mmCIF file of all heavy atoms in Angstrom:
data_model
loop_
_atom_site.group_PDB
_atom_site.id
_atom_site.type_symbol
_atom_site.label_atom_id
_atom_site.label_comp_id
_atom_site.label_asym_id
_atom_site.label_seq_id
_atom_site.Cartn_x
_atom_site.Cartn_y
_atom_site.Cartn_z
ATOM 1 N N ALA W 87 66.192 99.467 119.978
ATOM 2 C CA ALA W 87 66.221 99.010 121.373
ATOM 3 C C ALA W 87 67.563 98.365 121.692
ATOM 4 O O ALA W 87 67.683 97.150 121.803
ATOM 5 C CB ALA W 87 65.075 98.032 121.619
ATOM 6 N N TRP W 88 68.611 99.185 121.837
ATOM 7 C CA TRP W 88 69.930 98.679 122.176
ATOM 8 C C TRP W 88 69.958 98.220 123.637
ATOM 9 O O TRP W 88 69.306 98.840 124.484
ATOM 10 C CB TRP W 88 70.983 99.775 121.977
ATOM 11 C CG TRP W 88 71.008 100.412 120.621
ATOM 12 C CD1 TRP W 88 70.426 101.591 120.260
ATOM 13 C CD2 TRP W 88 71.650 99.919 119.438
ATOM 14 N NE1 TRP W 88 70.664 101.858 118.926
ATOM 15 C CE2 TRP W 88 71.416 100.847 118.392
ATOM 16 C CE3 TRP W 88 72.411 98.776 119.152
ATOM 17 C CZ2 TRP W 88 71.900 100.669 117.094
ATOM 18 C CZ3 TRP W 88 72.889 98.603 117.862
ATOM 19 C CH2 TRP W 88 72.632 99.534 116.851
ATOM 20 N N ILE W 89 70.682 97.158 123.938
ATOM 21 C CA ILE W 89 70.833 96.708 125.327
ATOM 22 C C ILE W 89 71.805 97.637 126.057
ATOM 23 O O ILE W 89 71.544 98.098 127.161
ATOM 24 C CB ILE W 89 71.390 95.259 125.386
ATOM 25 C CG1 ILE W 89 70.592 94.321 124.461
ATOM 26 C CG2 ILE W 89 71.400 94.747 126.820
ATOM 27 C CD1 ILE W 89 71.242 92.953 124.255
ATOM 28 N N HIS W 90 72.950 97.889 125.410
ATOM 29 C CA HIS W 90 74.017 98.695 126.020
ATOM 30 C C HIS W 90 73.705 100.187 125.848
ATOM 31 O O HIS W 90 73.791 100.708 124.734
ATOM 32 C CB HIS W 90 75.348 98.338 125.338
ATOM 33 C CG HIS W 90 76.520 99.185 125.733
ATOM 34 N ND1 HIS W 90 77.309 98.911 126.828
ATOM 35 C CD2 HIS W 90 77.043 100.303 125.183
ATOM 36 C CE1 HIS W 90 78.272 99.819 126.931
ATOM 37 N NE2 HIS W 90 78.134 100.680 125.937
ATOM 38 N N ASP W 91 73.338 100.859 126.936
ATOM 39 C CA ASP W 91 73.071 102.300 126.841
ATOM 40 C C ASP W 91 73.590 103.030 128.079
ATOM 41 O O ASP W 91 73.029 104.051 128.498
ATOM 42 C CB ASP W 91 71.581 102.582 126.608
ATOM 43 C CG ASP W 91 70.717 102.009 127.720
ATOM 44 O OD1 ASP W 91 71.262 101.423 128.685
ATOM 45 O OD2 ASP W 91 69.490 102.147 127.646
ATOM 46 N N ASP W 92 74.684 102.495 128.627
ATOM 47 C CA ASP W 92 75.272 103.025 129.871
ATOM 48 C C ASP W 92 75.481 104.536 129.818
ATOM 49 O O ASP W 92 75.289 105.234 130.804
ATOM 50 C CB ASP W 92 76.646 102.390 130.145
ATOM 51 C CG ASP W 92 76.565 100.876 130.237
ATOM 52 O OD1 ASP W 92 75.499 100.322 129.921
ATOM 53 O OD2 ASP W 92 77.589 100.257 130.608
ATOM 54 N N GLU W 93 75.922 105.006 128.646
ATOM 55 C CA GLU W 93 76.275 106.421 128.556
ATOM 56 C C GLU W 93 75.245 107.220 127.743
ATOM 57 O O GLU W 93 75.553 108.298 127.249
ATOM 58 C CB GLU W 93 77.668 106.573 127.951
ATOM 59 C CG GLU W 93 78.736 105.854 128.752
ATOM 60 C CD GLU W 93 80.142 106.063 128.190
ATOM 61 O OE1 GLU W 93 80.341 107.023 127.434
ATOM 62 O OE2 GLU W 93 81.031 105.257 128.506
ATOM 63 N N GLY W 94 74.054 106.665 127.580
ATOM 64 C CA GLY W 94 72.995 107.393 126.871
ATOM 65 C C GLY W 94 72.650 106.780 125.535
ATOM 66 O O GLY W 94 73.287 105.815 125.098
ATOM 67 N N PRO W 95 71.648 107.333 124.869
ATOM 68 C CA PRO W 95 71.130 106.754 123.620
ATOM 69 C C PRO W 95 72.112 106.855 122.451
ATOM 70 O O PRO W 95 71.934 106.167 121.445
ATOM 71 C CB PRO W 95 69.872 107.586 123.337
ATOM 72 C CG PRO W 95 70.047 108.849 124.109
ATOM 73 C CD PRO W 95 70.880 108.515 125.316
ATOM 74 N N ASP W 96 73.143 107.689 122.565
ATOM 75 C CA ASP W 96 74.112 107.809 121.467
ATOM 76 C C ASP W 96 75.296 106.859 121.658
ATOM 77 O O ASP W 96 76.205 106.828 120.820
ATOM 78 C CB ASP W 96 74.628 109.250 121.353
ATOM 79 C CG ASP W 96 75.449 109.653 122.576
ATOM 80 O OD1 ASP W 96 75.066 109.244 123.703
ATOM 81 O OD2 ASP W 96 76.464 110.352 122.427
ATOM 82 N N ASP W 97 75.277 106.083 122.750
ATOM 83 C CA ASP W 97 76.419 105.228 123.100
ATOM 84 C C ASP W 97 76.560 104.065 122.112
ATOM 85 O O ASP W 97 77.545 103.963 121.368
ATOM 86 C CB ASP W 97 76.201 104.717 124.541
ATOM 87 C CG ASP W 97 77.377 103.921 125.075
ATOM 88 O OD1 ASP W 97 78.291 103.597 124.306
ATOM 89 O OD2 ASP W 97 77.383 103.596 126.287
ATOM 90 N N MET W 98 75.567 103.207 122.058
ATOM 91 C CA MET W 98 75.678 102.001 121.221
ATOM 92 C C MET W 98 75.648 102.309 119.724
ATOM 93 O O MET W 98 76.423 101.696 118.965
ATOM 94 C CB MET W 98 74.576 101.010 121.617
ATOM 95 C CG MET W 98 74.788 99.606 121.068
ATOM 96 S SD MET W 98 76.386 98.829 121.506
ATOM 97 C CE MET W 98 76.784 98.023 119.930
#
Side-chain angles (χ1 to χ4, degrees):
Chain W
W88 306 98
I89 310 169
H90 173 87
D91 59 2
D92 302 9
E93 302 183 19
D96 66 322
D97 185 350
M98 194 56 220

